[in-house]
Amino acid sequence: MRKCYISRNYKTTKSGGGRVRTDLETIMTEMEFKNLGLPQSRHRNMVFDFFYTFTSVMKALLTMRKGDTLLLQYPMKKYYELVCDVAHSRGVRVITVIHDLGCFRRKKLTVEREMKRLAHSDALIVHNPTMHKWLLDHGYQGEMQIIGLFDYLSPQPIISKREAPHSENDYSLFFAGSLSTKHNAFIYMLPEQLKG
């Protein structure tokens, strides 16, 4: 049994954050997942680009064998359902890591359409209990696992509290995400809340 993933280099999405996807690919490689991805097409001809991408995806899928596991990152703009269906026809288990739901972020998908799409996956890895409950409430019937805190990889060494050049009451917090009040207003409330 092999563990595989299809590289983001397939131009499958413009959303979901490049850093998160890249970090996840690094983690998958360290966990001995095999990247089935081929180099991304850079052609300006959209017809050629479509056929190149489609052919690349199909070639990758046809290398998979019964009993393999395929991990996909979602949203996957092109071919998500096709990839899942071809993988299943070859006896491959499909696990999907959800970075974002299109019915929330850009509202280009209806809830019903998104749930129909996600039903093609055998299992989902979701952000938190709220997303888990929402997916259950909207009919997802497959297995789900919750990530909880989604951390970024860092080349910086981890410094223990004893080595840190701070007093006992000093803390550092690194936040990776949007700093707009629209998306994360809680950040601007932290100084007042931490005083108490």
Side-chain angles (χ1 to χ4, degrees):
M1 178 194 88
R2 293 179 310 161
K3 301 178 291 185
C4 307
Y5 68 95
I6 293 181
S7 171
R8 66 192 166 88
N9 291 334
Y10 277 126
K11 285 175 67 171
T12 53
T13 183
K14 292 180 183 176
S15 65
R19 175 67 191 269
V20 173
R21 289 173 181 272
T22 302
D23 280 359
L24 188 54
E25 287 182 11
T26 300
I27 292 165
M28 287 186 287
T29 301
E30 288 173 0
M31 294 176 66
E32 299 182 0
F33 276 72
K34 180 180 179 184
N35 180 2
L36 300 180
L38 298 177
Q40 179 176 325
S41 168
R42 300 274 185 208
H43 297 278
R44 292 177 187 238
N45 183 318
M46 291 179 66
V47 174
F48 178 87
D49 188 59
F50 169 81
F51 283 109
Y52 177 85
T53 303
F54 180 79
T55 303
S56 299
V57 170
M58 293 310 294
K59 183 178 178 184
L61 287 171
L62 294 176
T63 67
M64 300 198 72
R65 302 184 294 257
K66 184 174 183 176
D68 287 352
T69 298
L70 175 65
L71 193 134
L72 301 173
Q73 298 193 61
Y74 187 91
M76 184 174 175
K77 189 174 181 183
K78 294 180 183 177
Y79 314 121
Y80 177 76
E81 292 169 67
L82 176 66
V83 166
C84 292
D85 291 345
V86 171
H88 286 138
S89 74
R90 299 185 65 78
V92 173
R93 176 173 161 81
V94 178
I95 300 172
T96 300
V97 177
I98 297 180
H99 296 298
D100 208 345
L101 294 171
C103 62
F104 288 145
R105 184 167 189 180
R106 292 200 167 80
K107 310 232 185 291
K108 288 188 176 182
L109 283 178
T110 64
V111 171
E112 294 77 21
R113 181 74 189 104
E114 189 136 52
M115 295 309 299
K116 185 176 179 184
R117 184 176 284 180
L118 291 172
H120 288 261
S121 187
D122 297 300
L124 302 177
I125 299 175
V126 302
H127 284 245
N128 52 44
T130 303
M131 182 182 278
H132 181 273
K133 181 180 184 318
W134 187 91
L135 289 162
L136 279 177
D137 291 348
H138 287 85
Y140 185 75
Q141 296 179 356
E143 177 187 343
M144 283 191 276
Q145 292 293 320
I146 298 168
I147 290 177
L149 182 65
F150 197 102
D151 206 354
Y152 287 91
L153 297 178
S154 173
Q156 298 298 318
I158 297 172
I159 298 172
S160 72
K161 191 172 182 179
R162 276 178 272 169
E163 297 168 341
H166 302 291
S167 71
E168 270 187 39
N169 296 323
D170 286 344
Y171 297 94
S172 295
L173 174 67
F174 298 93
F175 179 77
S178 171
L179 296 176
S180 75
T181 54
K182 177 183 175 187
H183 293 106
N184 293 302
F186 77 92
I187 294 170
Y188 300 97
M189 298 175 199
L190 284 176
E192 286 300 315
Q193 292 176 353
L194 293 175
K195 285 180 185 176

